[in-house]
Amino acid sequence: MKPEFIVGAYASLPQGRPSQELCYMLLGEQSWVRGTELPFPGDLANEDDRHWLAEHLPAHWHTNSVTAIPGTMRRMNEDPWFGLASPQEAGRRDAIGFFEDLRRAVADVARVRGAQDIAYIELHSAPRRVSDADRMEESLRLLASWDWSGARLVIEHCDRYIDGQEPEKGFLRLDDEIALCKELGIGLTINWGRSAVEGRSARTALEHVRRCADADALTGLMFSGAGPKETIYGYPWIDGHLPMNPDEPTSLMDADAIAECMHAANTQERPIAYVGAKVCVPRDATLDERVRYLSHIHEAVEQ
């Protein structure tokens, strides 16, 4: 079974509701796009925004996902103990409350759309440096008992904490997350750029895909670029969703790197469910250019 292709459109959306509406319409016309990755809180934050989103996502997009990383990072910046894997009980309880808000938002979108079109919830093993696998397991067991309006839980791997290296996220090791997924029957998603940031190498992303596939744990694979140089998207090794090379010449994610990861993912006995592209674009990019940045990744995936 061929995986569905989704786009993390929020990273490349233009400013302003009229332009965003046009962008979603244009993406909806692309036969290769089957859904989008939505940030939480983002446009899921309040009732008015959720209703706008539910009404403007293309009706035939049934493989949408929600990533909790924007809200997780914001809350973790306010409280360094915040996270599902927190060894401090108050920080873990706050994270569980955060996901209860997310669960209600997902239910609201399903109600407005009249369909269960959010298929995956991407969660993360925060907080930085002190994440604890046992506490993460406790949190996951609780969250897995909730009604998610048909969505499945997946752990999205972020760079692990490495002594002496400034982290972008600094969460659990991939092996710990794979073990949790196998134990609890939860999927795992690899974001190419976040794995490359961890190892400061394109080879790390490939290694992570191989390890997940070998464990039959890989559910999703998102392609975002990363690289060792400062760009318009930020400092070196930022988790900044760089476009693929040559759209961004400093990005280590090129067609060959994408092809290698797809080959590794396809060695898994159970087909992966979704593949996607999430990139930032120049601020002045036209709507057609924004779609092309994403389509170049899709073309590399297909090849």
Side-chain angles (χ1 to χ4, degrees):
M1 184 177 67
K2 188 175 180 179
E4 301 279 21
F5 195 93
I6 70 173
V7 293
Y10 75 92
S12 53
L13 280 181
Q15 295 294 312
R17 285 300 196 213
S19 295
Q20 291 171 0
E21 182 176 347
L22 290 173
C23 194
Y24 277 128
M25 289 176 60
L26 183 57
L27 286 168
E29 293 169 359
Q30 312 306 309
S31 61
W32 45 275
V33 179
R34 307 305 299 170
T36 190
E37 182 187 69
L38 301 164
F40 185 79
D43 283 334
L44 295 168
N46 60 64
E47 186 174 351
D48 288 343
D49 288 338
R50 288 196 293 270
H51 285 207
W52 181 91
L53 187 68
E55 291 170 354
H56 288 90
L57 290 181
H60 64 280
W61 283 5
H62 304 305
T63 311
N64 302 292
S65 68
V66 175
T67 173
I69 197 63
T72 295
M73 294 307 296
R74 187 177 70 187
R75 296 287 294 274
M76 198 176 70
N77 288 336
E78 297 169 353
D79 175 9
W81 293 101
F82 175 88
L84 293 175
S86 180
Q88 185 192 73
E89 190 59 24
R92 194 172 73 88
R93 283 199 306 268
D94 285 347
I96 289 169
F98 168 82
F99 276 93
E100 174 63 17
D101 291 340
L102 194 162
R103 188 198 65 78
R104 284 194 291 265
V106 168
D108 201 18
V109 170
R111 179 181 61 79
V112 175
R113 283 176 71 84
Q116 296 177 330
D117 289 341
I118 294 178
Y120 301 97
I121 308 297
E122 297 167 353
L123 42 80
H124 308 84
S125 56
R128 178 177 290 122
R129 190 177 63 81
V130 294
S131 293
D132 184 281
D134 290 337
R135 300 291 79 74
M136 186 69 175
E137 180 178 353
E138 289 180 30
S139 298
L140 289 175
R141 287 190 183 279
L142 176 60
L143 267 59
S145 71
W146 295 355
D147 178 0
W148 287 95
S149 303
R152 293 171 52 193
L153 302 180
V154 296
I155 298 175
E156 183 185 35
H157 179 67
C158 298
D159 61 292
R160 66 181 175 90
Y161 184 78
I162 299 174
D163 284 337
Q165 177 174 296
E166 185 65 26
E168 279 289 89
K169 305 294 188 289
F171 296 165
L172 282 179
R173 299 181 310 138
L174 179 63
D175 288 346
D176 290 331
E177 293 174 339
I178 290 175
L180 287 169
C181 289
K182 298 294 286 183
E183 173 69 22
L184 301 174
I186 290 172
L188 201 149
T189 289
I190 292 295
N191 178 297
W192 193 99
R194 288 173 181 154
S195 290
V197 165
E198 176 179 316
R200 302 295 196 253
S201 170
R203 305 307 296 179
T204 308
L206 177 59
E207 175 193 349
H208 284 181
V209 174
R210 284 174 172 164
R211 281 157 60 186
C212 290
D214 287 346
D216 196 34
L218 190 65
T219 294
L221 177 55
M222 293 295 292
F223 287 106
S224 288
K229 296 182 179 180
E230 183 175 353
T231 69
I232 62 171
Y233 306 105
Y235 48 82
W237 295 118
I238 188 175
D239 178 17
H241 315 312
L242 272 61
M244 70 176 287
N245 188 321
D247 289 330
E248 171 47 59
T250 70
S251 176
L252 298 183
M253 188 180 73
D254 59 16
D256 287 342
I258 291 172
E260 284 184 318
C261 284
M262 286 303 302
H263 177 75
N266 288 330
T267 64
Q268 181 169 274
E269 183 177 353
R270 173 179 53 86
I272 64 173
Y274 65 96
V275 176
K278 177 168 63 176
V279 297
C280 291
V281 300
R283 187 181 300 272
D284 60 353
T286 66
L287 293 183
D288 286 336
E289 287 170 339
R290 293 169 194 269
V291 173
R292 279 200 295 273
Y293 275 83
L294 296 167
S295 70
H296 292 163
I297 295 175
H298 174 258
E299 291 163 7
V301 166
E302 290 294 293
Q303 291 172 3

